[in-house]
Amino acid sequence: MKMLPGIYLLVLAVLQIPASKAEFFSSTSGLGQLLRTEVIVLKELQTYVNEIREHADLLQREISEIRAEHLTAAKSIESYLNNPVNAFRLIKRLHTDWETLEGTVESEQSRTNFLEAMAGHRQNLSFPTMEDFVGTTLAMTRLQQTYNLDVAELASGMLNGVKYGSAMSWQDCFVLGQHLYSMNDFNNTVPWLEQSMRLLAQQSYSDEPVSLDFMEAVIGYHESLGDYQNALNLINHVLDVEPEQRLHLLEKRAHLEQLISDGVKRGLMHEVARSPEDYHATQDYLIYQQVCREELMPTAAAQRELRCRYFSGHGRSLNYLAYKLEELHRDPYIIQLHEVIGAHESVQLQHLARPVLQRSEVYSPTNGSTAATFRTSQGTVFEYDEHPIIEKLSQHMTLISGLDMGFAEPLQIANYGIGGHYEPHMDSFPESFDYSLQRLKTNRIATGIFYLSNVEAGGATAFPFLPLLVKPEQGSLLFWYNLHRSGDADYRTKHAGCPVLQGSKWIANVWIRLSHQDHVRPCQLQRDHEVSLQYKD
């Protein structure tokens, strides 16, 4: 958005929490509601503008820019909303900018109709919450870090060298940096503030006094962070434009130059260190990120023995069309079967799930099932007899694995949100798991993932210890065993869902329990779990 007027649109912004009836950052499926909300409130604003012509020029500028976004979205709403930059800007506009627009008309006598209409819309339409704003902020930094994205490119709408959407404004970058600052994520604050000021300097109004006042405020952020060089760069820019009016900055400039010369390292960036218990600082997590970036891959020697073949399935005659089976790893055994279900069936499953999606939860022995930041998605479950297509998935699993689906958990369908991911985890339960409240009293012997959509970039399933990356392919099935034949956990199968960089990721998870599966995968006389123990911790 342009300033309204000048820089005041951002200066007046207050991060208030509007009413909302849903969570939007954890699933891309709900973002269409936000776009519809913005269409409605935009119409409300247009009505108000028509009533107050003296304010029309300023407000029309805002309307035109948002409408341009909607025209871009109309070309492919799904593609537009699946872009993390577009999603962030949409949530930021509705969460922050529209509050400010309401504030700009409070002094107008004719504002009553507009403000009353907006109050009604806030009660009846979908608006993002502070949790959505935090979620999208975390998603942006997660994508930046996982895929080593340059902040300037990400802000320009470039994702891994491909232009997917609109560029972020200097205000977008500032609000993102400001929010990271409030979240104590100081190292990620710096590049976003730096990009914000770089973009502001390119604007026609960058030399106006109010713009320079704003730059002075940002100097304070950099100084408190201990980012003295960027603070000094801004001071030099301001003094170049208004040397006589900004004499008070000369002393600060000299002080910063001395700190830089002396090599002083202090400020929030240097004082707040990661906890040794922070999983994101571990070698395991770094390996996971490298696998997501395809910097670590199986060696040629490891792949030499892998085969692709047609597989007729367990207990099926050769008159049936065989499955296209691709071996991805021998030990542990991981396979992908291609074209198991059709595109129409995949879309039907998505439609079944959309109305009943809820925030995905994870299990821990201490807290039970709860939502967690390391899993950003929404999901729902279905019994296998609820719909013919779901029953068909069960039949495919039986034919492919030979396992008894009578001892499978209900099917889980999930959609990943903005930068949606699931950090490295085991599907098998830990030794401390309490089965007393479970209908099925044994561990998860195997996992199947039906990919219900293609994903343009990111969103792959990563096995960090192998190291293996499986990219989503609509209609295919990924299958592996979570347990050794002894029934012990195979820690090599720890896996993760890499963040979705562009697109919408839909999957259907199948988890089969150990009970009554010995006819297909009998135990060996000797335990065979030692090979994976080195990966346990």
Side-chain angles (χ1 to χ4, degrees):
M1 283 188 170
K2 302 292 189 295
M3 294 184 294
L4 193 158
I7 206 159
Y8 292 111
L9 177 61
L10 187 59
V11 172
L12 292 173
V14 177
L15 298 180
Q16 297 177 347
I17 303 176
S20 179
K21 300 179 179 62
E23 180 181 274
F24 297 102
F25 77 94
S26 57
S27 170
T28 58
S29 70
L31 290 174
Q33 297 177 46
L34 296 188
L35 195 61
R36 287 190 291 273
T37 291
E38 194 165 49
V39 169
I40 293 170
V41 296
L42 190 64
K43 182 179 179 181
E44 236 24 280
L45 183 60
Q46 183 68 70
T47 300
Y48 175 74
V49 169
N50 292 340
E51 294 173 356
I52 51 161
R53 279 295 155 201
E54 66 275 14
H55 218 176
D57 289 342
L58 290 172
L59 292 175
Q60 193 66 54
R61 203 183 315 163
E62 303 296 330
I63 292 167
S64 298
E65 185 159 345
I66 298 174
R67 280 219 169 113
E69 283 291 312
H70 291 179
L71 287 173
T72 301
K75 296 174 184 176
S76 175
I77 289 178
E78 183 177 7
S79 177
Y80 177 88
L81 294 176
N82 288 337
N83 181 282
V85 171
N86 293 340
F88 170 81
R89 297 184 75 237
L90 173 61
I91 287 178
K92 179 254 184 185
R93 286 198 305 271
L94 283 171
H95 184 272
T96 304
D97 295 350
W98 279 96
E99 293 277 352
T100 306
L101 287 170
E102 293 172 45
T104 64
V105 301
E106 284 183 351
S107 60
E108 295 289 340
Q109 190 172 357
S110 57
R111 73 183 188 274
T112 305
N113 290 342
F114 172 74
L115 294 177
E116 287 180 353
M118 287 299 299
H121 291 323
R122 289 190 178 279
Q123 292 295 321
N124 300 312
L125 297 179
S126 299
F127 278 80
T129 65
M130 177 60 82
E131 186 178 6
D132 289 308
F133 192 60
V134 170
T136 55
T137 299
L138 292 174
M140 294 293 283
T141 56
R142 182 187 311 126
L143 293 172
Q144 175 193 338
Q145 293 168 351
T146 302
Y147 297 109
N148 278 345
L149 300 178
D150 177 74
V151 166
E153 282 201 359
L154 183 57
S156 71
M158 299 283 289
L159 302 176
N160 271 353
V162 180
K163 180 75 171 178
Y164 283 109
S166 303
M168 297 173 72
S169 68
W170 71 264
Q171 295 99 322
D172 294 334
C173 295
F174 174 76
V175 170
L176 180 52
Q178 183 188 48
H179 201 65
L180 288 167
Y181 185 94
S182 71
M183 294 165 60
N184 296 333
D185 190 353
F186 302 120
N187 285 307
N188 282 315
T189 299
V190 170
W192 286 105
L193 292 182
E194 186 180 4
Q195 179 65 14
S196 172
M197 293 301 95
R198 188 181 296 118
L199 294 174
L200 174 57
Q202 296 172 7
Q203 306 305 313
S204 59
Y205 46 76
S206 63
D207 290 347
E208 294 178 8
V210 69
S211 295
L212 299 176
D213 290 342
F214 191 81
M215 289 181 185
E216 276 204 49
V218 176
I219 289 168
Y221 275 104
H222 285 294
E223 191 174 10
S224 69
L225 290 165
D227 182 24
Y228 301 133
Q229 188 59 59
N230 273 318
L232 181 60
N233 292 342
L234 278 177
I235 286 178
N236 287 335
H237 174 80
V238 172
L239 286 173
D240 284 345
V241 178
E242 289 189 347
E244 299 300 325
Q245 299 89 331
R246 310 275 174 170
L247 293 175
H248 59 280
L249 291 177
L250 292 174
E251 184 178 349
K252 185 182 288 288
R253 178 167 71 177
H255 177 62
L256 289 172
E257 287 174 338
Q258 189 62 52
L259 290 174
I260 293 170
S261 176
D262 293 343
V264 173
K265 302 289 184 185
R266 65 167 178 250
L268 295 171
M269 284 197 309
H270 307 288
E271 294 169 3
V272 180
R274 274 182 169 172
S275 165
E277 288 79 33
D278 185 357
Y279 177 62
H280 295 165
T282 64
Q283 185 67 20
D284 279 5
Y285 191 77
L286 296 178
I287 291 173
Y288 149 67
Q289 290 182 313
Q290 287 179 296
V291 173
C292 288
R293 293 193 295 266
E294 298 186 75
E295 295 173 358
L296 289 178
M297 296 182 288
T299 64
Q303 294 177 302
R304 191 171 296 125
E305 300 301 319
L306 301 177
R307 297 289 182 267
C308 294
R309 65 179 185 274
Y310 285 103
F311 172 60
S312 61
H314 294 268
R316 185 163 71 169
S317 73
L318 293 176
N319 294 328
Y320 286 85
L321 182 65
Y323 293 110
K324 298 175 180 178
L325 185 152
E326 179 183 359
E327 294 178 347
L328 303 180
H329 205 274
R330 279 292 182 89
D331 185 21
Y333 190 58
I334 301 174
I335 56 175
Q336 186 171 18
L337 298 105
H338 303 276
E339 301 174 8
V340 177
I341 60 174
H344 177 69
E345 294 167 313
S346 296
V347 172
Q348 273 197 284
L349 289 169
Q350 294 176 31
H351 288 165
L352 282 174
R354 282 182 194 275
V356 286
L357 289 174
Q358 294 182 341
R359 178 68 187 274
S360 298
E361 297 182 334
V362 295
Y363 172 84
S364 72
T366 53
N367 300 319
S369 294
T370 57
T373 57
F374 58 82
R375 185 184 190 185
T376 310
S377 65
Q378 290 186 14
T380 189
V381 296
F382 296 94
E383 297 296 339
Y384 285 98
D385 59 1
E386 284 190 50
H387 193 277
I389 295 180
I390 298 174
E391 190 171 10
K392 191 173 180 180
L393 298 188
S394 175
Q395 293 168 358
H396 283 305
M397 285 298 299
T398 298
L399 290 169
I400 289 166
S401 70
L403 297 172
D404 188 342
M405 286 294 291
F407 295 89
E409 299 173 33
L411 182 76
Q412 182 199 68
I413 298 179
N415 175 233
Y416 283 74
I418 302 164
H421 72 138
Y422 193 175
E423 291 181 6
H425 62 281
M426 296 287 295
D427 277 359
S428 59
F429 298 117
E431 296 172 358
S432 58
F433 187 78
D434 181 7
Y435 292 97
S436 61
L437 300 178
Q438 295 269 316
R439 177 178 65 87
L440 303 169
K441 305 294 184 182
T442 55
N443 212 335
R444 291 170 170 170
I445 184 176
T447 292
I449 299 178
F450 286 93
Y451 293 110
L452 306 182
S453 67
N454 296 312
V455 180
E456 291 179 60
T461 304
F463 295 83
F465 297 145
L466 298 183
L468 178 66
L469 190 73
V470 185
K471 297 181 180 181
E473 176 193 298
Q474 188 180 50
S476 70
L477 168 67
L478 180 66
F479 177 85
W480 72 89
Y481 285 105
N482 297 303
L483 305 178
H484 292 284
R485 287 183 177 274
S486 61
D488 298 291
D490 189 340
Y491 297 103
R492 298 170 298 177
T493 63
K494 178 180 275 192
H495 59 285
C498 298
V500 176
L501 188 57
Q502 171 70 25
S504 181
K505 179 182 178 182
W506 285 86
I507 59 173
N509 290 312
V510 178
W511 292 300
I512 307 174
R513 296 297 184 96
L514 183 60
S515 301
H516 297 270
Q517 310 297 354
D518 51 305
H519 65 289
V520 175
R521 202 167 185 253
C523 292
Q524 293 181 336
L525 294 177
Q526 302 295 325
R527 293 179 73 184
D528 58 349
H529 68 299
E530 291 85 358
V531 66
S532 73
L533 288 179
Q534 61 179 307
Y535 301 101
K536 181 176 181 180
D537 299 313

